[in-house]
Amino acid sequence: MALTESVPTAAPPAHEGILRRQSLRESAARTYARSLPIVPVRARGLTIEGADGRRYLDCLSGAGTLALGHNHPVVLEAIRTVLDSGAPLHILDLATPVKDAFITELFATLPRELAEKGRIQFCGPAGTDAVEAAFTLVRTATGREGLMAFSGAYHGMTAQALAASGGARHTGVVRLPYPYDYRCPFGTGGARGAELAARWTQSLLDDPKSGVPDPAGMILEPVQGEGGVIPAPDSWLRRMRELTTERRIPLIVDEVQTGVGRTGAFWAIEHSGIVPDVLVLSKAIGGSLPLAVIVYREELDAWQPGAHAGTFRGNQLAMAAGRATLAYVRENGLDRRAGELGARMLARLTALAAAHDCIGDVRGRGLMLGVEIVDRDAEADATGARPADPRLAAAVQHACLDRGLIVELGGRHSAVVRLLPPLTITDEQADAILDRLADALTAAVRTTPGPMGPSPTTTRGISP
């Protein structure tokens, strides 16, 4: 070889080129792609295989969308059946056998009081559009405008959904305290904190000088997901239902992430026994495909044709996949299974917290679990809570990915490690998830000395 000839170099792996082009072409608003630099090419159940040949255990599950995991056989068969039948794939809001079957299955899972006298509205393909529909519905039915929502809430990314979420800046939505045991806004926690939150809500509603007019509705999550995996006490939920019923305020419950067995009951409202006036559903009801609906009491059905519409509200493939998912969860008792397995995982996470002073709190319901990462060097406040440590949480997430585990971060300061595995995971897979998380915690603490320590390096998954 001549001295002037360049030495041949190996071409970079194809997946690195894909990631580079994504970074160059996609908007700065992308989120998951920043903390999860992988290129999925195949997936089944809990496992994702990347273009680099590495495998990952997916505890993000499409932000809770994949109740049965990736490419479950019953979902694939339902989709193939529609494709092979020659049925139309786009039908606006026309009636079809596929749509009828989906509605029938969905109503079979609902609380009887809502199923017997309920109406359903198909919305645009995302949960946030269903939230918008719920707001339009209650405003039309009541003739009022105001809304009540809760601190820490997340209801979507459209205008009114954002206005009712915890990060809102300029809004006429009244913000109420949500029970948060570890960081109780009243400094008490427990049942006392929840009772004070309920009293505050009642005071705003009943005090003629509170400055809060009668609202068109109240919206809440039975478990705040993006807010940090915070389950509402059942007694508090029942109190909210009592307060709204007595004052003829429609209660909207957002089960976009908690629905379809996620929390150990088919719908999270079943734990408390409440029946809302409006139920907002998306994510898992589409069996991994885009679908969003609201189900509501028939007496609220006062809007005019076209009052809420959407071109893609007739997603036939999503309805078929959703019907198959709903039926599979119901027939196989996956909601009960989620409750049992989630309790065992929560117990092990509690033991993990005892061994790691960077864990301030573990909590959750069913297979919706959260681990709050805190500054282990800071002093606790009067209630025992320490400041959140988002830097260490990010290091834990990176260390998890390095060990082939995909997790999400959430909470007020992005310091809550969230676990949202499919409802189909085995005991052995649950143990593998927690083993990798425990190892990642140890590694992250070792390499991240404190809130001002060095940034964690980008890491990659390993084959299990």
Side-chain angles (χ1 to χ4, degrees):
M1 178 183 293
L3 293 177
T4 56
E5 291 180 0
S6 51
V7 178
T9 58
H15 72 280
E16 292 185 4
I18 293 173
L19 290 173
R20 184 177 65 256
R21 286 189 292 275
Q22 181 186 45
S23 178
L24 290 172
R25 294 168 175 169
E26 291 191 27
S27 80
R30 66 189 188 282
T31 53
Y32 301 109
R34 294 180 183 276
S35 56
L36 301 172
I38 62 175
V39 179
V41 292
R42 278 174 293 276
R44 187 65 174 260
L46 178 66
T47 304
I48 286 178
E49 182 178 335
D52 57 358
R54 298 175 182 270
R55 293 183 179 179
Y56 303 83
L57 303 182
D58 181 12
C59 268
L60 177 55
S61 298
T65 297
L66 305 173
L68 304 184
H70 294 276
N71 293 325
H72 193 280
V74 304
V75 172
L76 296 182
E77 179 60 26
I79 293 171
R80 290 191 188 103
T81 298
V82 175
L83 291 174
D84 294 343
S85 72
L89 300 183
H90 188 287
I91 48 85
L92 298 172
D93 66 351
L94 302 181
T96 71
V98 173
K99 183 178 184 180
D100 183 62
F102 169 79
I103 295 173
T104 299
E105 181 60 42
L106 175 61
F107 273 56
T109 70
L110 295 173
R112 187 176 63 179
E113 185 179 342
L114 189 56
E116 289 181 348
K117 295 185 177 181
R119 293 285 187 271
I120 185 170
Q121 167 71 15
F122 286 83
C123 308
T128 188
D129 194 63
V131 170
E132 298 278 346
F135 293 165
T136 301
L137 174 71
V138 297
R139 284 170 170 150
T140 300
T142 64
R144 302 190 290 263
E145 286 295 321
L147 294 166
M148 285 186 151
F150 291 87
S151 58
Y154 178 75
H155 298 293
M157 294 297 293
T158 50
Q160 289 301 307
L162 280 173
S165 298
R169 292 292 181 268
H170 304 289
T171 174
V173 177
V174 174
R175 199 72 47 182
L176 301 168
Y178 191 91
Y180 185 175
D181 198 16
Y182 186 64
R183 300 191 187 281
C184 177
F186 301 101
T188 61
R192 178 61 176 165
E195 172 59 24
L196 289 173
R199 287 189 182 186
W200 178 259
T201 300
Q202 181 175 350
S203 175
L204 284 181
L205 288 169
D206 292 347
D207 182 356
K209 295 296 184 180
S210 68
V212 178
D214 291 341
M218 172 190 288
I219 185 169
L220 59 80
E221 299 159 276
V223 181
Q224 287 192 342
E226 301 302 322
V229 192
I230 306 171
D234 292 338
S235 59
W236 179 84
L237 286 169
R238 288 190 285 268
R239 187 69 181 125
M240 293 302 101
R241 176 68 282 190
E242 291 170 2
L243 290 174
T244 52
T245 299
E246 290 167 357
R247 292 155 184 79
R248 300 180 64 82
I249 299 169
L251 177 63
I252 305 165
V253 173
D254 181 341
E255 288 236 30
V256 167
Q257 194 165 100
T258 56
V260 194
R262 172 61 57 187
T263 68
F266 208 100
W267 306 108
I269 53 175
E270 295 176 35
H271 295 294
S272 62
I274 69 169
V275 179
D277 300 293
V278 186
L279 194 58
V280 180
L281 307 175
S282 188
K283 291 190 184 292
I285 66 163
S288 77
L289 299 178
L291 190 64
V293 306
I294 57 172
V295 180
Y296 53 92
R297 296 182 188 272
E298 62 181 358
E299 55 266 30
L300 295 176
D301 201 31
W303 46 11
Q304 297 298 309
H308 194 87
T311 300
F312 294 101
R313 54 186 162 148
N315 191 334
Q316 295 288 277
L317 293 181
M319 292 176 193
R323 188 212 63 79
T325 298
L326 294 169
Y328 192 89
V329 172
R330 177 178 57 82
E331 293 167 0
N332 291 276
L334 293 189
D335 50 347
R336 295 187 298 274
R337 163 72 175 165
E340 294 164 0
L341 183 55
R344 291 200 294 273
M345 292 179 72
L346 190 61
R348 187 169 166 192
L349 288 172
T350 300
L352 192 64
H356 290 271
D357 57 2
C358 65
I359 298 178
D361 192 32
V362 297
R363 53 186 178 259
R365 201 156 203 175
L367 291 176
M368 189 173 182
L369 301 166
V371 179
E372 184 158 353
I373 305 300
V374 298
D375 181 355
R376 57 197 184 280
D377 298 322
E379 291 188 8
D381 63 18
T383 66
R386 282 176 290 164
D389 193 342
R391 192 178 186 83
L392 180 56
V396 171
Q397 184 185 37
H398 282 293
C400 283
L401 191 65
D402 190 47
R403 286 150 181 79
L405 177 63
I406 295 173
V407 297
E408 182 186 10
L409 298 181
R412 270 41 169 203
H413 304 282
S414 296
V416 177
V417 177
R418 301 187 59 199
L419 301 178
L420 291 165
L423 310 188
T424 51
I425 62 169
T426 65
D427 289 354
E428 293 76 18
Q429 288 175 325
D431 288 339
I433 289 167
L434 297 179
D435 286 344
R436 296 184 191 196
L437 175 60
D439 190 42
L441 274 164
T442 299
V445 168
R446 185 174 61 248
T447 59
T448 311
M452 299 305 293
S455 298
T457 57
T458 300
T459 53
R460 301 165 68 187
I462 59 174
S463 298

